[in-house]
Amino acid sequence: MPENSSVPQNALQAKPCAIVIFGATGDLTARKLLPAIYNLTSEGLLHPDTVVIGFARRPKTDDDFRQEMLKGINSFSRNRPADNGIWEKLAPRLFYHQSTFEDAHGYASLAARLSELDKRFGLSGRRLYYLSTSPTEFSTIVAQLGEAGLGNIDPFNSGAWRRVIVEKPFGHDLKSAQELNHQINRVFDESQVFRIDHYLGKQTVQNLLVFRFANGIFEPIWNRRYVDHVQVTVAEDIGVEGRGGYFDTAGTLRDMIQNHLMQLLTLVAMEPPVSLEGNAIRDEKVRVLKSIIPYAPEQVERMTVRGQYVRGEKQGKPVIGYLEERGVAPQSQTETYACVQLAIDNWRWYGVPFYLRSGKHLKRKGSEINIHFNRAPGVLFNKPQRGTGANVLTLRIQPRESIGLQINAKRPGTATAVTPVQMDFEYHEAFGSYSPEAYERLLLDAILNDSTLFIRRDEVESAWQIIDRIEETWAAGKPPLKFYSPGSWGPDEAEQLLRGSGRSWDELPQESQ
Ligand code: BG6
């Protein structure tokens, strides 16, 4: 294991198992899952007898599947092209199983195949099911797994386990999430369910906890007495990238804010957990979500902004408008930009606004959290330039992971001129460029039965409770959808939302590209 690896110390205890990927011909398998499995294999973190079965509708041989996966690894893996030696060990353990998701025979033959592989590779009934299909298939697959007895554990085999990883989106609203939870929990106990949010697999997101709770100096000022407000930005410089059909039914609020940004918010705002055990952390995250009072319609109108990109130009290149994207309804009101001001009504954060924004085709890509502290009293240096120079702590998640603090310094010269300057810590300078992909960490954690970085049932439902109230008012056309040009920072209204209270959005720096 590399010295600076952040993979769990007990990673080498990973026992051989079968990873069954449902929807294996989809994008995620070739782009993320197989590259992750390849990297984990090459680092010796997966047991060499681990097998992968791709389950999907299209007819294909094992060999076709292997070739497609090799192509995926060669195009998308962080270590590429694939090393021949490693690939030759991995390839014979990749299999393809063709079936529709509704066909009971397909699951019966899967069961037979798994038993055969169990014997051949000594897997002892350890199985990880990965639901990487369209969300409309999730309940069918889980029900079929249940019917075929593939969710049950043989009581005479103490080493066996069954786990299921569920991709996002997890439901479309609270009701559908509850139904899905109910259907999954009919076959799998909650302890067997791993709901994925790939943001939790990102190194910098995990570093948030280390930053907060391994450094004594920040915790005392991490509250409403010292913090003026918090900004969470996840900006993308790309559009819907051929996913118009899905995206048009979701929108940015469901696709990004409900999960990734809410997760970032909970990690920033949570109380110190009693331990690093998965449920201890998730208990604290749920408490944060429960402290956010869902908005009444008039609050939604005042505190949220929704936007959609129009046809335009970015860096000299033409960009088609959202409505021209394939799969998007001609009159679609779906937002490609969302900005939400939330209030956490607890002792620590009472009165501190949390501003969350995310959008597609924005000026540049970047995800960061900015904690704005109260300004120093304006009696001495701040006097002539009141309104500038608050201390801002920036936790940059991507693309260049860093932690920065904006402080005020005296500009050289005879006059006493104060100017804000930046102190930065760059992860790659300190630790080199080794950084496992989110899916590597998450797959390994599921195999090791560590659910810390996965979303618990009550977490997902609490987040939907907040989002549903916003969606309901948006569906009634309030506030109206605004339009923005590609390459901008979204609709002007998002700037106005902060300006009303004398604040403004931080511009993501150029060098973060
Ligand atoms: C996914 C969303 O969950 O996250 C996509 O469905 C989005 O719409 C993606 O593009 C962004 O992830 P990342 O890791 O590139 O920031």
Side-chain angles (χ1 to χ4, degrees), residues 59-109:
K60 219 181 271 293
T61 63
D62 286 345
D63 225 44
D64 297 338
F65 182 59
R66 288 171 190 155
Q67 286 319 309
E68 277 169 27
M69 295 304 112
L70 178 60
K71 224 163 119 195
I73 294 165
N74 285 338
S75 319
F76 304 112
S77 165
R78 68 183 163 84
N79 295 314
R80 58 176 188 255
D83 173 274
N84 265 345
I86 297 163
W87 175 246
E88 269 159 27
K89 279 189 214 134
L90 178 61
R93 291 183 285 111
L94 301 185
F95 304 94
Y96 187 75
H97 192 81
Q98 192 253 322
S99 167
T100 64
F101 301 123
E102 302 76 27
D103 182 6
H105 300 294
Y107 293 81
S109 51

Side-chain angles (χ1 to χ4, degrees), residues 4 15 25 60 62 143 322 382 401 422 440 472 510:
N4 56 1
K15 300 247 171 62
T25 48
K60 219 181 271 293
D62 286 345
Y322 176 68
N382 284 4
E401 312 178 20
Q422 197 64 26
E440 293 173 36
E472 279 157 27
Q510 188 78 45

Side-chain angles (χ1 to χ4, degrees), residues 168 198-199 202 236 243 255-256 260 360 365 398:
K168 69 170 276 271
H198 78 277
Y199 263 62
K202 291 185 193 268
E236 294 188 274
R243 294 161 72 228
D255 184 51
M256 299 295 286
H260 307 324
K360 301 220 180 264
K365 180 178 172 69
Q398 60 185 24

Side-chain angles (χ1 to χ4, degrees), residues 29-69:
T29 311
R31 271 177 183 267
K32 299 285 184 191
L33 302 183
L34 254 295
I37 290 168
Y38 167 80
N39 285 316
L40 289 171
T41 307
S42 78
E43 271 151 31
L45 298 171
L46 279 192
H47 193 285
D49 285 334
T50 304
V51 306
V52 177
I53 300 174
F55 184 117
R57 291 189 190 100
R58 280 181 230 161
K60 219 181 271 293
T61 63
D62 286 345
D63 225 44
D64 297 338
F65 182 59
R66 288 171 190 155
Q67 286 319 309
E68 277 169 27
M69 295 304 112

